[in-house]
Amino acid sequence: KDKEVAGIAFHVYPRVATGPGEHRQYPENTDLSASRHEFLFRPPGFLDAWFTRAVKDERDLPLVYLLFNITVLTIPGALLVFYLKSNWVGFAFWLANFVLFQERFSLGLHISAHRGIFKNSFFNPYASVVIAPFFGVPSGIYHLHHVVMHHVENNMDKWDLSSTEPYQRDNLLHFLYYYLRFLLAIWFELPYYALQRNRTRDAGVAVAAMCVHWAALLSLFSSNSCGAFWVFGVPAVAGSFALMFGNWSQHIFIDPKKPRCNYHLTYNIINADFNQRTFNDGYHVEHHVHSKRHWTEVLHPRSPRPATLAAACAHGRASRCARRGRRRLSVRALLRTRGHAAHRYRVRAAMVSRAAE
């Protein structure tokens, strides 16, 4: 049945019966049979064969194809912007790159940070070191920020610098502060966090990566300000906004009674076309429960670990729900425009709590 929370329609599935002879009820999941759209085109046959031999798991070929697409389109496009020194060409390059690849790459980077995809570990940093700056992510710091900090601290206000807990999550000004804090203060806060957690090596790597990043940017701006502005400057502002907006939206519903529980600090989006472009990023509960689980397994009912929806039903403490067919951006926009306070609603793993029912 459908139920509205903060003006947003959720689909609520019955509690799992635990008595003898009772059975579980699962929703139909069209994501299982949908075609994938993480990449635009496949590489030539000889490269495809090499990629197939090079990856640990052939299920990661869509991510390899995406990196190939970016390599043959984004990097030559960036060189063209530097060569022509035209603001119109620069704007066209940034817009095309943002529309075609920003969402895809952000989630591809996310997947590759949790699981190395190549047999030869030399190639695994390619996304986070070589490609990331074209999408506003400085080389070499994503792993510390996301895998180490966000997943270890798990949205905890005191330690997770990207935590959404202290904010009024339907308040535009709070989100702007959240975004600007990341854009301007992360350069100092992230190394300091690593030092506080006795991760001296990580702090050193982060400082070194940031120094190289800023030295390269300043050098490029001094020699070709037009190219540097459109290839690296604008993506830094827009890419940071996209990343923070995504994390804000993923953790917009938090159960104040159990904010540390993975089933109570985020939600799932199923049967949505954006899952096919983002390596099933809508299954965010499952990702927090087991962050190293392969992205194809989060929705498969016969995977070694139970899929999120199955695990949610087995959890059995409250009726569960998953948002169907709407992107996180829409969820965030609806909360903002309808003026409902997200923190007032106790949502458990994208599931409505008894209080909401």
Side-chain angles (χ1 to χ4, degrees), residues 2 104 142 147 159 241 270 302 313 335 343 346:
D2 290 323
R104 290 180 168 98
Y142 183 83
V147 178
W159 294 108
F241 182 90
I270 69 171
R302 293 184 181 180
C313 290
L335 280 170
H343 72 281
R346 300 171 180 176

Side-chain angles (χ1 to χ4, degrees), residues 7-251:
I8 301 173
F10 286 83
H11 193 70
V12 182
Y13 301 108
R15 294 184 182 86
V16 173
T18 56
E22 298 177 322
H23 63 281
R24 300 173 178 174
Q25 298 186 38
Y26 299 98
E28 179 184 0
N29 190 347
T30 59
D31 290 332
L32 284 167
S33 56
S35 58
R36 310 304 306 183
H37 302 288
E38 279 84 2
F39 60 95
L40 301 183
F41 54 88
R42 298 172 70 101
F46 72 96
L47 276 178
D48 197 357
W50 185 84
F51 288 149
T52 302
R53 294 192 301 270
V55 294
K56 294 178 181 178
D57 190 329
E58 290 189 16
R59 294 176 298 176
D60 287 320
L61 283 173
L63 175 53
V64 178
Y65 296 160
L66 171 64
L67 296 179
F68 171 78
N69 292 171
I70 294 171
T71 301
V72 300
L73 293 179
T74 298
I75 294 180
L79 293 175
L80 184 65
V81 175
F82 273 96
Y83 177 74
L84 296 177
K85 300 180 182 179
S86 166
N87 284 313
W88 286 110
V89 174
F91 174 76
F93 162 80
W94 168 76
L95 184 62
N97 200 46
F98 187 87
V99 172
L100 291 176
F101 294 128
Q102 182 73 51
E103 182 180 54
R104 290 180 168 98
F105 175 75
S106 296
L107 280 308
L109 175 64
H110 174 234
I111 293 300
S112 66
H114 283 282
R115 295 170 56 98
I117 60 175
F118 292 103
K119 294 175 183 176
N120 188 337
S121 59
F122 175 81
F123 296 106
N124 283 326
Y126 181 69
S128 62
V129 174
V130 178
I131 301 297
F134 294 97
F135 297 91
V137 181
S139 296
I141 69 169
Y142 183 83
H143 184 272
L144 172 60
H145 186 275
H146 180 76
V147 178
V148 175
M149 183 193 71
H150 178 61
H151 274 275
V152 171
E153 311 303 349
N154 215 24
N155 205 50
M156 185 188 302
D157 180 21
K158 181 180 178 181
W159 294 108
D160 188 348
L161 301 177
S162 60
S163 172
T164 58
E165 283 186 352
Y167 301 97
Q168 174 78 20
R169 292 180 296 278
D170 65 342
N171 188 309
L172 178 60
L173 293 178
H174 280 227
F175 172 72
L176 290 176
Y177 174 82
Y178 178 78
Y179 161 62
L180 290 174
R181 178 188 175 187
F182 172 80
L183 184 67
L184 302 176
I186 196 63
W187 311 99
F188 313 101
E189 289 187 325
L190 189 59
Y192 182 62
Y193 157 79
L195 288 175
Q196 285 183 303
R197 285 306 206 186
N198 296 318
R199 294 180 176 270
T200 308
R201 181 181 179 278
D202 289 333
V205 170
V207 170
M210 291 173 180
C211 289
V212 171
H213 175 80
W214 278 105
L217 275 186
L218 292 174
S219 177
L220 289 171
F221 267 97
S222 64
S223 60
N224 190 327
S225 58
C226 178
F229 177 76
W230 289 110
V231 174
F232 298 112
V234 175
V237 176
S240 296
F241 182 90
L243 289 171
M244 289 298 96
F245 190 91
N247 193 73
W248 178 277
S249 302
Q250 287 168 336
H251 298 283

